[in-house]
Amino acid sequence: MAMRGTNAGFLDEEKSEGNSFSATTLDFSVSSTGDFSPKISPSKETLRSASISKDGNLNFKYRVLANNFSGDSALCAALEIKDDSDDTYGNLSSYISSETDNTTKTDWEFTVKLTDNDESLADKTCNFDLVFEAWQEDLAYGAGGFTDIETVSSQIESDHWTNIADHLVINEVYYDADGTHGSEPDNEWVELYNPTSSSVNIKDWEICDNYGCSDLATSDLEIPANGYAVVAKEMSTWGYWVIPGSAVKIVLGEAIGNSGLRNSGDRVILTDDSGITIDKMSYGDDNNGLNPPCSDIPAGHSLARHPAGQDSDTRSDFEELSNPNPGTNPHTVVMNEIMPNPIGDDDADMPGGEWIELYNYGEYLIDLKDWKLEDGDGNVLEIKDSNTESDSTTIAAGERLVIYRNGDNDFDLDDDGDEVRLIDEKGLIKDSYAFTETVEGKSIARFPDAVGPWIDPEATPGEENKLKEKELNAFRLKTFDVCFNGKGKIKKDSEEEICAPEFLKYLGMIDELDDEKLNNNVELEVLKLKKEQEEDKLATLLNETKKMAVDEDSLEDKKDTSEMPVSDKKDSLTGAENVGTETENNTEDEDDNDVAGDENDLGNETSGDISEETDDKDKKEETTDDGSSGKKEEENEIDNTIKNEGDGQI
């Protein structure tokens, strides 16, 4: 029996109800406004800020680590980074932060420090990545789930630094004068620098060369912290350079080391009051201070430490300067004029109120951004665009910049005396001046600009400091008496600021900074001024004497009248009415006789020279028809006055 095929099928159905499907994300981003700043050094840390933002749906845990290093491997290995979560430091090359989450911490401040002061690490770069790793908050790190990674490329640059000395150093040496800046050995100089945080008293210290030593100070003399001193044989040296007022100036009165510094080679040695060598250097063919010594340099140049105070006891500490800068290291901006007591409110809006004028005596434009002025109480006036006359903090070569108080509530110059300090962006005092009681509306200014002593002329903000003719003559008379002896020679022992050679040259009292004698032409002018001054004094004295005589006669007449009987007084008054004119004339004659007698008495009491000058004055008025006699008399008079001045007379 035949059978047909049979077909069979299977069917199964499973059903699940109430289910739903959804998708989510874990995503974040990192923002940072800039790279690590400032440049790092052994004394200065560098920082960078960063912030994270949640961009997805899920909250997350995360950590930060550093990797992918390049650049200078030695610098990278010497860097440590602070964990912003617990403020602990660890090596940057193996840095992994503590775990945190986006709900707890979103802002980061990365701080990196340098743990090694090796100078070979200076001026280097370390490149690396800061990597932010995130994962699901309900899972452990590496357990799977959603993750996200963001990378921030970073760079740390090391600054330039050196081994700064912890003692006073010979900081700059000018041993080969070029004629433009004086002669040898009179105007050779050595700059000392105090890199420490305390002042140093150099009483009984010496400065020496290979032939001998010179005393720096026989009494207390301090070089302030971070301050400078300039040592030279002659005071005239200061007139050849612009030296900040904050620098100590030391006049030896003899050549450095007694014989001066040799141009072909020499050593400079600084010893303390116990004879211990504190610092030394040498140049040219002398290897006693440094071995090998600094190379010889051209006339007019100097050898200077770079930076100030650098001291590794090798010649690499020094560099050649074609433009020496005694008393600083270097800068070419000084305070030039100060208005501490203006007319009106001291804190008035500019151009009123207090102001300070700065002057750039150098060859290049300088930006004074981040510089400041400081009063005696430490109150600061920042130099910024808004308080300068030019709306800028830059000052071009040979130009002036006026800084106004302009409503500042803290900075305040005391009218009864104060100090002003100019401070650079590194916090170093570049110039300072202390003044005493002031006059309202009058400034205190250097004469000549930048280099001269401080005096109180009419204010000239932003302009060249100039004396009016009356002020010029007054200072000529004063310096003639104070700065010169009876023979017209400069007093070597004068410590008056107005006797500075640069100011005497400005007044025309001397022709050159190293002159020792008064200019002959100016001497004649000064003697004329002195004679006119004496004549004015004599005339004033005679007028006062005459007035006193008239007053005495008037008092005597009143006394006589008061003692008369009443009847006599009536008769006297009646008689006075009848002979008024005659009595008046008689009284005038008597007064003239009294005054003449007083003048004779005065002539007997004063020196014969004043009498002679009075006679000469009368003779001077008698001239011939052509007028030549008066001129001759005047010349004879000046000659006689000069002779009397030489004899110590007036």
Side-chain angles (χ1 to χ4, degrees):
M1 170 170 133
M3 296 185 66
R4 297 184 177 183
T6 301
N7 296 324
F10 297 92
L11 176 65
D12 190 13
E13 179 180 3
E14 299 289 338
K15 185 176 181 181
S16 176
E17 299 180 347
N19 294 315
S20 64
F21 294 90
S22 63
T24 189
T25 58
L26 189 159
D27 188 24
F28 75 101
S29 58
V30 180
S31 61
S32 181
T33 56
D35 215 328
F36 281 88
S37 179
K39 291 183 178 181
I40 200 168
S41 73
S43 60
K44 185 169 56 180
E45 296 177 335
T46 187
L47 300 93
R48 180 173 192 173
S49 300
S51 298
I52 65 168
S53 300
K54 174 186 170 184
D55 298 329
N57 302 116
L58 296 178
N59 289 322
F60 52 88
K61 293 180 181 179
Y62 71 102
R63 67 179 187 177
V64 186
L65 58 100
N67 65 18
N68 195 27
F69 286 86
S70 64
D72 187 86
S73 58
L75 175 62
C76 293
L79 298 176
E80 287 189 353
I81 188 169
K82 182 172 68 174
D83 191 322
D84 199 26
S85 299
D86 57 13
D87 291 339
T88 59
Y89 279 91
N91 194 283
L92 177 64
S93 60
S94 59
Y95 172 65
I96 300 177
S97 74
S98 304
E99 291 184 4
T100 185
D101 62 74
N102 67 293
T103 60
T104 303
K105 184 175 178 62
T106 58
D107 298 321
W108 287 77
E109 186 78 20
F110 298 104
T111 303
V112 177
K113 67 179 181 180
L114 182 60
T115 60
D116 194 335
N117 65 357
D118 189 339
E119 292 179 29
S120 66
L121 300 178
D123 302 314
K124 298 293 192 300
T125 300
C126 176
N127 302 305
F128 59 98
D129 291 334
L130 287 173
V131 180
F132 292 73
E133 296 181 335
W135 61 94
Q136 285 183 227
E137 63 177 344
D138 56 343
L139 298 175
Y141 176 77
F146 293 94
T147 62
D148 191 17
I149 296 176
E150 299 291 337
T151 300
V152 178
S153 298
S154 301
Q155 182 182 80
I156 292 177
E157 294 179 273
S158 60
D159 207 348
H160 183 80
W161 73 87
T162 53
N163 294 321
I164 303 300
D166 59 357
H167 55 79
L168 214 62
V169 295
I170 298 162
N171 202 58
E172 188 173 358
V173 180
Y174 179 76
Y175 64 85
D176 194 351
D178 59 0
T180 303
H181 297 90
S183 59
E184 301 172 13
D186 292 357
N187 304 118
E188 297 171 342
W189 51 262
V190 172
E191 176 191 86
L192 306 178
Y193 174 59
N194 178 9
T196 73
S197 58
S198 302
S199 61
V200 177
N201 191 333
I202 59 171
K203 177 185 177 182
D204 296 330
W205 286 42
E206 291 183 325
I207 188 166
C208 310
D209 69 354
N210 58 347
Y211 289 113
C213 297
S214 302
D215 292 329
L216 285 174
T218 56
S219 58
D220 289 336
L221 180 63
E222 293 191 345
I223 301 177
N226 298 310
Y228 296 85
V230 185
V231 184
K233 176 189 174 185
E234 298 291 344
M235 186 172 64
S236 62
T237 304
W238 316 144
Y240 293 111
W241 307 93
V242 180
I243 302 176
S246 56
V248 178
K249 298 175 183 177
I250 301 174
V251 178
L252 298 176
E254 64 181 23
I256 296 173
N258 286 321
S259 59
L261 301 174
R262 288 193 310 128
N263 292 342
S264 59
D266 209 335
R267 71 198 68 162
V268 184
I269 303 171
L270 179 66
T271 63
D272 66 11
D273 54 358
S274 299
I276 297 173
T277 297
I278 300 300
D279 193 34
K280 61 182 180 178
M281 65 84 65
S282 59
Y283 59 89
D285 58 13
D286 190 318
N287 61 7
N288 182 269
L290 296 172
N291 191 9
C294 296
S295 300
D296 186 22
I297 56 176
H301 293 203
S302 68
L303 291 169
R305 293 184 187 271
H306 178 74
Q310 159 72 10
D311 190 23
S312 63
D313 292 327
T314 65
R315 68 177 182 179
S316 62
D317 294 339
F318 290 85
E319 66 177 359
E320 177 185 339
L321 295 183
S322 58
N323 294 300
N325 45 76
T328 182
N329 194 61
H331 86 98
T332 59
V333 177
V334 295
M335 294 188 299
N336 200 51
E337 189 171 2
I338 303 168
M339 173 58 80
N341 189 3
I343 296 174
D345 294 336
D346 288 357
D347 60 351
D349 292 341
M350 64 183 202
E354 298 174 347
W355 50 263
I356 294 94
E357 177 190 88
L358 307 179
Y359 181 72
N360 180 6
Y361 61 84
E363 301 177 357
Y364 306 99
L365 180 144
I366 294 178
D367 191 348
L368 302 181
K369 184 178 181 293
D370 297 328
W371 287 46
K372 59 189 176 182
L373 292 159
E374 187 177 78
D375 64 22
D377 294 326
N379 300 313
V380 168
L381 178 65
E382 295 181 357
I383 299 176
K384 48 191 178 182
D385 296 346
S386 60
N387 63 1
T388 66
E389 60 175 347
S390 61
D391 297 326
S392 172
T393 58
T394 60
I395 178 170
E399 295 297 328
R400 299 161 183 81
L401 182 67
V402 181
I403 316 300
Y404 291 91
R405 180 175 171 182
N406 198 32
D408 187 275
N409 295 322
D410 298 322
F411 183 85
D412 186 14
L413 299 179
D414 193 334
D415 297 344
D416 295 327
D418 208 335
E419 182 178 9
V420 191
R421 295 179 284 271
L422 176 64
I423 301 174
D424 69 9
E425 76 282 3
K426 296 181 180 179
L428 299 178
I429 298 175
K430 309 309 291 185
D431 197 11
S432 66
Y433 182 69
F435 57 87
T436 54
E437 188 175 358
T438 59
V439 177
E440 186 178 30
K442 296 202 74 176
S443 66
I444 310 165
R446 293 182 189 266
F447 279 84
D449 284 315
V451 298
W454 293 86
I455 60 175
D456 56 347
E458 297 297 325
T460 58
E463 301 175 3
E464 180 184 357
N465 293 342
K466 289 184 178 180
L467 290 175
K468 295 181 178 179
E469 184 176 0
K470 185 177 180 180
E471 293 174 320
L472 187 69
N473 288 336
F475 275 107
R476 283 179 170 177
L477 287 169
K478 187 172 182 180
T479 55
F480 183 83
D481 291 335
V482 173
C483 308
F484 297 88
N485 60 25
K487 296 181 180 180
K489 290 189 175 182
I490 296 178
K491 296 177 182 177
K492 293 291 186 181
D493 57 348
S494 176
E495 296 182 356
E496 295 285 341
E497 270 200 315
I498 59 173
C499 296
E502 54 268 27
F503 187 54
L504 294 179
K505 183 180 179 182
Y506 173 81
L507 295 175
M509 303 296 281
I510 57 176
D511 293 325
E512 300 296 337
L513 293 171
D514 54 357
D515 284 354
E516 297 182 355
K517 195 174 186 305
L518 185 66
N519 180 306
N520 289 334
N521 294 329
V522 174
E523 185 173 16
L524 293 176
E525 294 179 17
V526 172
L527 291 173
K528 283 183 181 180
L529 291 171
K530 288 182 70 68
K531 186 175 185 300
E532 292 172 2
Q533 189 181 59
E534 294 300 327
E535 288 175 348
D536 290 342
K537 288 181 181 178
L538 180 59
T540 301
L541 184 59
L542 291 175
N543 288 333
E544 291 177 351
T545 304
K546 182 176 180 179
K547 184 177 182 300
M548 290 173 60
V550 172
D551 291 342
E552 288 176 1
D553 288 343
S554 177
L555 289 172
E556 190 64 31
D557 290 342
K558 289 180 181 179
K559 180 179 180 183
D560 293 342
T561 303
S562 65
E563 293 175 352
M564 293 172 61
V566 175
S567 58
D568 291 344
K569 288 182 180 179
K570 291 180 179 179
D571 294 340
S572 176
L573 290 171
T574 303
E577 292 174 358
N578 296 333
V579 293
T581 303
E582 181 182 352
T583 303
E584 191 175 286
N585 293 337
N586 290 340
T587 302
E588 290 176 356
D589 292 340
E590 291 172 0
D591 289 343
D592 290 342
N593 290 336
D594 290 339
V595 173
D598 289 333
E599 290 178 358
N600 290 334
D601 292 340
L602 179 64
N604 293 333
E605 292 172 0
T606 56
S607 68
D609 294 307
I610 293 180
S611 298
E612 290 175 9
E613 288 180 7
T614 305
D615 293 340
D616 288 341
K617 184 177 181 181
D618 294 337
K619 292 177 182 178
K620 181 178 177 182
E621 295 173 356
E622 300 174 3
T623 62
T624 60
D625 293 338
D626 61 2
S628 60
S629 174
K631 183 177 181 181
K632 183 65 175 177
E633 291 289 348
E634 182 180 359
E635 292 175 354
N636 292 337
E637 178 184 330
I638 294 173
D639 291 339
N640 290 335
T641 307
I642 294 172
K643 179 179 182 300
N644 292 337
E645 288 288 348
D647 295 336
Q649 302 173 355
I650 297 176

